[in-house]
Amino acid sequence: MPTSILDLRHLRTLLALLEAGSVSRAAALQNVTQSALSHQLKALEEFYGLTLFERKSAPVSFTPAGRRLLDLAQAVIPAVEKAERDIARLGGHGAGKMRIAVECHTCFDWLMPSMDALRLRWPEVEQDIVSGFQSDPVGLLHQDRADVAIVSEVDADERDVLVHPLFAFDIVAILPLGHPLLAHDHLEAADFAGQTLITYPVPDEMLDLVRQVLRPAGVEPPRRTTELTVAMLQLVASGRGFAALPLWAVQTYLQRGYVAQQRIGPHGLTGRLYAVTRRPAADTGRDDAYLDDFVQVMRETSLRTLPGIRLL
């Protein structure tokens, strides 16, 4: 047999395909284009002269040849990653404190599982969430009061930071059961005009519904605020108004028939989340390895646990 073309990149691709269930989602998980990932897989199949997975199945189904390579990937990649973490520790990059600042009230639904996953990989790292709601978490990076900021938008003029795309998600309108607007195909901005809008107590710039839909249409419904998601849903269920929340944050309540959802706009309303870290100074070399790893852990954990998200 000729010299193998197989390398760690191929093994990681196979694991991503198993985790994500499709080529497009695996490409997003690996931060490569779908074309590049497909090229990797095609090159492997041409080298071995065998198909590695069934492309028309959902999720993808691996052939015997593909499963054999998966066995190899599942043995090799964890061992390589553990060795790299051990080397990072030897180089002084494996321990420290990671302070996380968030601007969204619903982030904790997915952030806590991500922190748990990181704790298994980097037990020496002390993780801490900066207390309270933060209206400018990126500013805390510059003040050395946080190491990671979770935000929905990043100023294009922001300097000395690295922006790591996490995922996109659907934002839906939450209505009381039986509301007449549920019979519509979707809601327009005008549909909110006569309804009290129930939101978190945050600036309008941080509310996707206001920023993307209501403000451009000149619609300003009456407002009511609450800190708690469950309180917001209780108000909606009792007919006190509408809310707009990430689908993954209210999925359980929708499944229980507590409230109802409606699409916002003909194509839906999309929110996005990013992780932002400080750019390492040129004279210090690379930053702590666990910060880089945390971004990938957040993407992998969210893909596995949150319904309906799309990796950026």
Side-chain angles (χ1 to χ4, degrees), residues 8 15 43 52 93 135-136 147 199 274 303:
L8 294 180
L15 288 180
L52 298 181
H93 299 287
S135 60
D136 183 21
D147 304 294
T199 71
Y274 305 86
L303 180 67

Side-chain angles (χ1 to χ4, degrees), residues 295-312:
V295 172
Q296 188 65 12
V297 167
M298 285 189 284
R299 288 165 59 83
E300 292 174 355
T301 304
S302 299
L303 180 67
R304 187 166 50 249
T305 60
L306 297 180
I309 71 163
R310 302 171 295 282
L311 294 180
L312 296 172

Side-chain angles (χ1 to χ4, degrees), residues 24-33 151-153 163-169 270-275 295-296 299 302-303 309-312:
S24 60
R25 286 164 67 87
L29 191 59
Q30 291 291 88
N31 289 313
V32 300
T33 65
V151 298
S152 56
E153 280 195 321
V163 179
H164 312 275
L166 293 178
F167 54 85
F169 55 93
T270 299
R272 293 172 176 83
L273 284 175
Y274 305 86
V295 172
Q296 188 65 12
R299 288 165 59 83
S302 299
L303 180 67
I309 71 163
R310 302 171 295 282
L311 294 180
L312 296 172

Side-chain angles (χ1 to χ4, degrees), residues 16-265:
L17 189 58
L18 176 66
E19 176 79 13
S22 71
V23 173
S24 60
R25 286 164 67 87
L29 191 59
Q30 291 291 88
N31 289 313
V32 300
T33 65
Q34 183 173 340
S35 175
L37 188 135
S38 295
H39 181 75
Q40 287 183 34
L41 294 168
K42 183 178 180 182
L44 281 179
E45 291 180 326
E46 289 179 348
F47 178 78
Y48 291 112
L50 293 168
T51 301
L52 298 181
F53 65 98
E54 301 296 336
R55 285 163 170 77
K56 294 184 179 181
S57 63
V60 295
S61 175
F62 288 86
T63 65
R67 289 196 297 271
R68 182 61 187 90
L69 289 180
L70 268 178
D71 290 342
L72 177 64
Q74 290 170 330
V76 170
I77 294 302
V80 170
E81 292 178 345
K82 183 179 185 304
E84 289 178 334
R85 291 195 294 270
D86 291 342
I87 291 171
R89 294 182 181 98
L90 293 173
H93 299 287
K97 185 173 184 177
M98 186 174 65
R99 300 160 297 175
I100 307 167
V102 299
E103 71 173 18
C104 59
H105 287 69
T106 54
C107 283
F108 299 101
D109 292 348
W110 61 266
L111 183 58
M112 298 307 290
S114 298
M115 293 174 68
D116 291 340
L118 189 77
R119 190 173 295 111
L120 296 176
R121 297 162 69 100
W122 299 92
E124 306 93 333
V125 175
E126 180 184 352
Q127 302 180 60
D128 188 24
I129 296 177
V130 179
S131 62
F133 168 79
Q134 304 298 328
S135 60
D136 183 21
V138 176
L140 299 183
L141 299 179
H142 296 303
Q143 300 168 31
D144 195 26
R145 295 170 54 197
D147 304 294
V148 181
I150 308 297
V151 298
S152 56
E153 280 195 321
V154 182
D155 190 336
D157 297 326
E158 198 72 55
R159 294 291 182 265
D160 301 321
V161 298
L162 298 175
V163 179
H164 312 275
L166 293 178
F167 54 85
F169 55 93
D170 294 327
I171 299 172
V172 295
I174 305 301
L175 281 63
L177 297 176
H179 195 283
L181 285 175
L182 292 173
H184 291 201
D185 179 69
H186 62 272
L187 298 187
E188 300 285 357
D191 294 321
F192 290 88
Q195 305 291 335
T196 297
L197 179 60
I198 307 167
T199 71
Y200 300 110
V202 300
D204 282 354
E205 289 71 21
M206 302 175 69
L207 296 172
D208 289 282
L209 174 66
V210 174
R211 190 177 68 248
Q212 298 187 47
V213 179
L214 301 184
R215 183 183 292 164
V219 174
E220 297 184 6
R223 304 286 192 90
R224 181 168 182 170
T225 62
T226 176
E227 290 276 359
L228 301 176
T229 303
V230 65
M232 191 180 300
L233 295 173
Q234 288 173 344
L235 289 169
V236 171
S238 60
R240 308 294 181 86
F242 291 178
L245 291 165
L247 180 58
W248 48 263
V250 295
Q251 190 75 28
T252 300
Y253 297 93
L254 293 170
Q255 291 172 344
R256 288 164 46 192
Y258 188 64
V259 290
Q261 65 165 306
Q262 178 61 292
R263 184 173 51 176
I264 301 171

